[in-house]
Amino acid sequence: MKDGTGSRRMLADEVSTAAMSPAEARLLFRGGVVTPTAGWCAGYAQANLIIVPKAQAFDFLLFAQRNPKSCPILGVLDAGETSGPLLADGDIRTDLPQYTVYVDGEKVAEPTDISGYWRQDLVTFIVGCSFTFEAALQEGGIPIAHIDQGTNVPMYRTSIWCQPAGSISGPLVVSMRPIPASQVPDAVRITSRYPAVHGAPVHVGNPEELGITDLSRPDFGDPVQIQEGYVPVFWACGVTPQAAVMESKPALAIGHAPGHMLITDARDSSYLV
Amino acid sequence: MKDGTGSRRMLADEVSTAAMSPAEARLLFRGGVVTPTAGWCAGYAQANLIIVPKAQAFDFLLFAQRNPKSCPILGVLDAGETSGPLLADGDIRTDLPQYTVYVDGEKVAEPTDISGYWRQDLVTFIVGCSFTFEAALQEGGIPIAHIDQGTNVPMYRTSIWCQPAGSISGPLVVSMRPIPASQVPDAVRITSRYPAVHGAPVHVGNPEELGITDLSRPDFGDPVQIQEGYVPVFWACGVTPQAAVMESKPALAIGHAPGHMLITDARDSSYLV
């Protein structure tokens, strides 16, 4: 079994996870390390995962096409395929730190390996993740609270409904980063240059308008401390397909565990416009 | 029956097709007018069409996702749907000037109305078209040969292969516009701002590199005269899905007749970045 916290502490002491290559990181996760991946493999794109049977694949791809801000598709593995150009020599069943398995829309397991659930009709969607632009934010002098505080990014289910597609519908999920008020324009400017990984924020300030009543109780991930003078800024989040799974209840679906991403071989810069 | 040439001449004399609204144009096409649509309804986006049975819809949507330059999806109508927000009060079966019907990859008909072929399992993909940015090119002082010469745009099957998706594969199709050499940079700059409708050219000059041996014999549309000092510039073309149909031979597929587009209610400017 993977041993999350212990492995993580050890690693943080021994090597810089930011300097690690994606292949090295995937190998560690395959070997049992469990950790949120924010800050890992600086300069490489991280990605959300949603895996569904072929029978639901069209509806999910159309859902993504109709909701590009929350579901930007970076790649699709054909039914039964477990590797591809975004994860050279990788295995999608083992190379993420942790997964979430849904049966009829209910979370039934959070395994660190999904080989036991694998079927030849499963289609894998690799979806852009906002962790990708965090290195650019940091280079721009913008602090990232969840990295500084050593926790998972906070994510919230909103009251905004996505465009449905066939059998699939659900709410927009957002990630939140508190940003110093004077740096909000920079945060918007920098992230807007990465449309393939959620791009510009969907909302700045005023969480109530998104139906979020308590920032200290995220629906996914961990809460972060919001310092005086910081404004909560919300980006569309690739956990949105999992919220749609909970709502739409397909017989089987597998996602990443929120914050525990696929680290791809694609450079952040390849998604820069 | 529609009476192409005659109706077109009459119309050109009577009203400005450039000033027409998309709804008016669609009504004319529904009533029987057959004509290439370049230059019609200035300021409104034109679109390619590819209609396939639900059984092939995932492969086509994935083909589009993997080849976004040639197949930028503007909208998808659910199985059996014949209208949608891009064609308010319209009917996808009648509102284009002309269609192309393929059975097992062979062109079997070029009807002006596809009501007789309609089935409840047909899924309609509306794909961006480079006619959308022609008004912007003209505003930039760049002549458009096929508009000035009153013919359909020339389109060519290239030797470049698209990324396949499941059962669907085929060559990239390009449209060609001869541009004065001094204005090629402007043409690139202007069209690159419209990524949802093919964006920047894929190639400038040297058709042989694309496997095009004779510019005077396009695979679709009409040849245009290339004046001295003009360079052939090639843009990815939304006829690419039809070339994939010819190659991949699904049991049934319906496209627009090349150059005879869906005129949508979306403003060109809504696709400007």
Side-chain angles (χ1 to χ4, degrees):
Chain A
M1 283 302 293
K2 296 191 183 182
D3 170 12
T5 314
S7 304
R8 193 185 178 204
R9 295 262 180 278
M10 189 185 70
L11 274 166
D13 292 347
E14 284 183 6
V15 298
S16 164
T17 54
M20 206 174 278
S21 80
E24 289 169 335
R26 293 195 301 261
L27 212 57
L28 280 178
F29 301 148
R30 193 185 302 179
V33 173
V34 180
T35 173
T37 51
W40 281 59
C41 305
Y44 288 93
Q46 301 205 14
N48 301 275
L49 204 67
I50 188 75
I51 300 175
V52 296
K54 186 80 194 272
Q56 277 80 46
F58 176 69
D59 286 352
F60 267 91
L61 186 54
L62 187 55
F63 183 79
Q65 193 276 328
R66 287 181 175 164
N67 300 282
K69 193 101 180 165
S70 55
C71 310
I73 298 278
L74 304 184
V76 180
L77 305 185
D78 287 338
E81 274 190 359
T82 56
S83 194
L86 287 169
L87 62 160
D89 299 322
D91 188 324
I92 202 73
R93 298 168 296 187
T94 55
D95 290 3
L96 278 73
Q98 195 168 12
Y99 303 81
T100 309
V101 179
Y102 300 89
V103 171
D104 297 329
E106 298 292 329
K107 183 163 76 178
V108 298
E110 294 182 286
T112 59
D113 178 325
I114 55 166
S115 301
Y117 294 93
W118 194 252
R119 308 182 340 199
Q120 283 306 310
D121 70 333
L122 291 181
V123 176
T124 298
F125 297 93
I126 297 171
V127 174
C129 169
S130 56
F131 286 177
T132 304
F133 57 53
E134 289 184 339
L137 286 171
Q138 289 178 312
E139 276 165 38
I142 296 172
I144 308 287
H146 60 270
I147 294 181
D148 297 339
Q149 296 171 26
T151 59
N152 197 352
V153 65
M155 293 160 270
Y156 306 86
R157 210 180 259 111
T158 71
S159 54
I160 297 174
W161 215 247
C162 292
Q163 290 288 323
S167 61
I168 306 302
S169 65
L172 172 68
V173 175
V174 293
S175 63
M176 189 278 287
R177 292 165 186 79
I179 306 287
S182 66
Q183 291 183 300
V184 169
D186 282 344
V188 173
R189 182 180 55 77
I190 291 169
T191 58
S192 69
R193 299 180 63 200
Y194 292 90
V197 291
H198 304 306
V202 291
H203 207 84
V204 176
N206 209 3
E208 292 76 13
E209 265 183 38
L210 297 174
I212 301 169
T213 51
D214 186 352
L215 285 177
S216 72
R217 298 179 55 192
D219 295 299
F220 309 95
D222 301 319
V224 291
Q225 290 175 343
I226 304 182
Q227 290 180 254
E228 185 70 24
Y230 281 54
V231 176
V233 179
F234 301 91
W235 279 266
C237 176
V239 172
T240 300
Q242 295 194 42
V245 163
M246 294 180 208
E247 189 71 29
S248 311
K249 307 184 193 305
L252 175 67
I254 303 172
H256 63 289
H260 299 65
M261 317 307 293
L262 170 66
I263 303 184
T264 77
D265 294 320
R267 286 270 178 190
D268 289 359
S269 54
S270 63
Y271 298 113
L272 182 67
V273 297
Chain B
M1 284 304 294
K2 298 190 183 183
D3 171 12
T5 315
S7 303
R8 193 185 177 206
R9 294 260 179 282
M10 189 185 71
L11 274 166
D13 290 349
E14 282 182 8
V15 299
S16 163
T17 54
M20 206 173 279
S21 79
E24 287 169 336
R26 293 196 300 262
L27 212 56
L28 280 177
F29 302 148
R30 193 185 303 181
V33 172
V34 180
T35 174
T37 51
W40 281 59
C41 306
Y44 289 93
Q46 300 205 14
N48 300 276
L49 205 66
I50 188 74
I51 301 174
V52 296
K54 185 80 193 272
Q56 278 80 46
F58 175 70
D59 286 352
F60 267 91
L61 186 54
L62 186 57
F63 183 80
Q65 193 277 327
R66 287 181 175 164
N67 299 282
K69 193 100 179 166
S70 55
C71 310
I73 297 278
L74 304 184
V76 180
L77 304 185
D78 287 336
E81 274 190 359
T82 56
S83 193
L86 287 169
L87 62 160
D89 300 321
D91 188 322
I92 203 73
R93 299 169 296 186
T94 55
D95 290 4
L96 278 72
Q98 194 169 11
Y99 303 80
T100 309
V101 179
Y102 301 88
V103 171
D104 297 328
E106 298 291 328
K107 183 162 76 177
V108 297
E110 294 183 285
T112 60
D113 178 325
I114 55 165
S115 301
Y117 293 93
W118 195 253
R119 307 180 342 196
Q120 282 306 311
D121 70 332
L122 291 180
V123 176
T124 298
F125 297 93
I126 297 170
V127 174
C129 168
S130 56
F131 287 177
T132 304
F133 57 54
E134 290 184 338
L137 286 170
Q138 289 178 311
E139 276 165 36
I142 296 172
I144 307 287
H146 60 271
I147 295 181
D148 296 341
Q149 296 171 27
T151 60
N152 197 352
V153 65
M155 292 160 272
Y156 306 86
R157 208 181 262 111
T158 71
S159 54
I160 296 174
W161 215 246
C162 291
Q163 289 289 323
S167 60
I168 305 302
S169 65
L172 172 69
V173 175
V174 293
S175 63
M176 189 278 287
R177 292 164 186 78
I179 306 286
S182 67
Q183 292 183 300
V184 168
D186 282 342
V188 173
R189 182 180 55 78
I190 291 169
T191 59
S192 69
R193 298 181 63 201
Y194 292 89
V197 291
H198 304 307
V202 292
H203 208 83
V204 176
N206 210 2
E208 291 77 12
E209 265 183 39
L210 297 174
I212 301 169
T213 51
D214 187 351
L215 285 177
S216 72
R217 297 179 56 192
D219 295 299
F220 309 95
D222 301 319
V224 291
Q225 290 175 342
I226 304 182
Q227 290 179 254
E228 185 71 25
Y230 281 54
V231 177
V233 179
F234 300 91
W235 280 266
C237 176
V239 172
T240 299
Q242 295 194 42
V245 163
M246 294 181 209
E247 190 72 27
S248 311
K249 308 184 194 306
L252 175 67
I254 304 172
H256 64 290
H260 299 65
M261 317 307 293
L262 170 65
I263 303 183
T264 78
D265 294 320
R267 287 271 178 190
D268 289 359
S269 55
S270 63
Y271 298 113
L272 182 67
V273 296

